[in-house]
Amino acid sequence: MANALTADQQRRRHALDHPSKPISSRTLSLMSAHAAQLKRDAAGWLWISPWVIGFLAFLFGPMLVSLYYSFTDYPLLEPPIWIGLENYRRMLTDETFRSVLWRTTQFAIIFIPLATIFALAIAGLLNGKVKAGGFFQAAVFIPTLVPMAGSAMIWLWMLNGEYGLINMSINRLLGWAGISGPNWLSDSKWAMPSIVMISLWSIGQMVIVYLAALKEVPDEMLEAAALDGMGPIRRFLSVVLPLISPVILFNVVTLMIGALQIFAIPYILSAATPGGDPRAMYFYTMYMYDNGFRYGQMGYASAQAWVQLLITLGLTAILFIASKRLVHYRA
């Protein structure tokens, strides 16, 4: 490789090519530095090449294809036909689309604040002097390792209206007062709370991230705040919360992206719950999946995917703009 020649090789090559112009030491030094930089760049590209190839082949390429399909009528088994913006216009008059969009928004509005509050509270408890703290940290994190299908099957039994663990516990504790558990998954009024409750079961990763952030809060600042007369709540609001605000922003953004894409849990539960209202657990991504792979409307599903991406990017941008006043970064 010409760019990786050693200094002696470069000097000999230059002497052969230009016998009347001997190479200077400064030029030779610049050439050597340039060759070394090119060698480092080539090594860097070689190291990241698997990711670049994977990104182009499995993400960027399919995204471009999906963008094209969003402007077509593509029933999968026949070639796509260009129809312009018709798929996007259809969403404006699609009642099911508006319904699933609103239901997904409701889920995000309920789930994101609850998940943030519960994760912070659990992290705060684990940050104290707790016996067997490692065990409890593992107990909180393990549910995130359980596959979605496995979690859905576990909760399908726990929320069973007749034989479920939750209703059996409620009946034993409150049965004397005539209070019994509802049909969590079959009753449309309880479907959303059930999905939120199941989703809260998997906040272990957030708890660990918050716990790491809380351990980074300097003890000196907490001691100084205590000397100034601040109580525990005031110290948390005025000292701890600003210091961990970048971590909160990160978790809220990831929660929002996950909430807008909720799919596996409601899809499995709705399919395994006979007699329930199928619309009560019908979310945006489920409707998009059905359009693409059940109804043979890949063009319409692609348009929905791009609208979902634009909504996610827009909300993320709003969060980052709002974070300029609410999030404090340590120098």
Side-chain angles (χ1 to χ4, degrees):
M1 183 184 296
N3 291 327
L5 295 177
T6 63
D8 290 339
Q9 289 173 330
Q10 290 174 358
R11 190 191 299 276
R12 285 198 296 271
R13 169 169 289 186
H14 184 82
L16 291 173
D17 295 341
H18 308 283
S20 59
K21 296 180 180 178
I23 189 169
S24 65
S25 299
R26 183 173 180 278
T27 303
L28 183 60
S29 176
L30 291 174
M31 292 173 65
S32 298
H34 182 64
Q37 181 62 43
L38 288 175
K39 192 174 182 179
R40 286 195 294 271
D41 291 346
W45 279 104
L46 185 62
W47 277 107
I48 66 171
S49 59
W51 182 88
V52 173
I53 294 171
F55 171 76
L56 293 175
F58 301 113
L59 187 62
F60 189 68
M63 283 180 66
L64 291 180
V65 174
S66 169
L67 180 61
Y68 167 71
Y69 286 158
S70 71
F71 296 105
T72 66
D73 179 12
Y74 183 30
L76 285 178
L77 299 179
E78 298 176 8
I81 301 172
W82 181 269
I83 57 172
L85 295 173
E86 186 57 36
N87 285 327
Y88 294 93
R89 292 194 194 97
R90 180 181 166 186
M91 289 182 219
L92 299 176
T93 57
D94 187 345
E95 187 176 342
T96 304
F97 175 80
R98 290 200 297 268
S99 173
V100 296
L101 181 60
W102 172 237
R103 191 169 297 109
T104 305
T105 303
Q106 284 181 307
F107 170 76
I109 291 173
I110 299 170
F111 172 65
I112 294 173
L114 286 179
T116 302
I117 293 171
F118 278 120
L120 270 173
I122 296 172
L125 291 173
L126 293 176
N127 192 43
K129 295 179 180 178
V130 180
K131 288 185 178 179
F135 168 78
F136 290 112
Q137 291 177 28
V140 170
F141 185 74
I142 282 175
T144 64
L145 303 178
V146 179
M148 287 289 184
S151 297
M153 298 309 295
I154 293 171
W155 281 98
L156 188 65
W157 165 67
M158 292 182 67
L159 294 175
N160 185 281
E162 191 172 356
Y163 305 106
L165 178 64
I166 293 178
N167 274 8
M168 289 176 65
S169 302
I170 292 174
N171 293 338
R172 285 189 180 181
L173 292 173
L174 304 174
W176 59 271
I179 299 175
S180 58
N183 289 319
W184 296 92
L185 301 176
S186 301
D187 191 335
S188 59
K189 291 184 298 185
W190 288 97
M192 180 66 78
S194 301
I195 297 297
V196 171
M197 185 166 57
I198 296 170
S199 300
L200 288 174
W201 193 54
S202 302
I203 60 172
Q205 189 172 353
M206 290 177 52
V207 173
I208 298 302
V209 173
Y210 281 135
L211 184 59
L214 290 174
K215 289 187 180 301
E216 291 296 320
V217 176
D219 292 335
E220 297 79 7
M221 296 186 70
L222 295 175
E223 291 170 0
L227 290 175
D228 287 342
M230 292 186 182
I233 297 177
R234 180 75 185 281
R235 285 201 301 272
F236 177 78
L237 295 177
S238 301
V239 179
V240 177
L241 209 56
L243 289 174
I244 66 171
S245 55
V247 178
I248 295 176
L249 173 65
F250 168 78
N251 276 331
V252 168
V253 171
T254 55
L255 276 175
M256 181 199 66
I257 295 172
L260 295 178
Q261 297 178 348
I262 182 170
F263 175 76
I265 294 291
Y267 191 85
I268 296 171
L269 292 181
S270 60
T273 307
D277 183 1
R279 296 171 300 176
M281 289 188 282
Y282 201 40
F283 291 88
Y284 190 103
T285 308
M286 296 167 66
Y287 185 46
M288 183 171 64
Y289 174 85
D290 285 344
N291 276 319
F293 298 102
R294 292 184 63 187
Y295 307 146
Q297 301 179 11
M298 185 56 74
Y300 191 43
S302 298
Q304 289 180 337
W306 277 94
V307 169
Q308 186 184 42
L309 175 63
L310 293 177
I311 291 173
T312 304
L313 291 176
L315 292 176
T316 304
I318 291 172
L319 283 175
F320 274 98
I321 291 171
S323 72
K324 290 180 180 179
R325 291 194 172 193
L326 300 175
V327 176
H328 305 274
Y329 295 96
R330 279 185 277 181

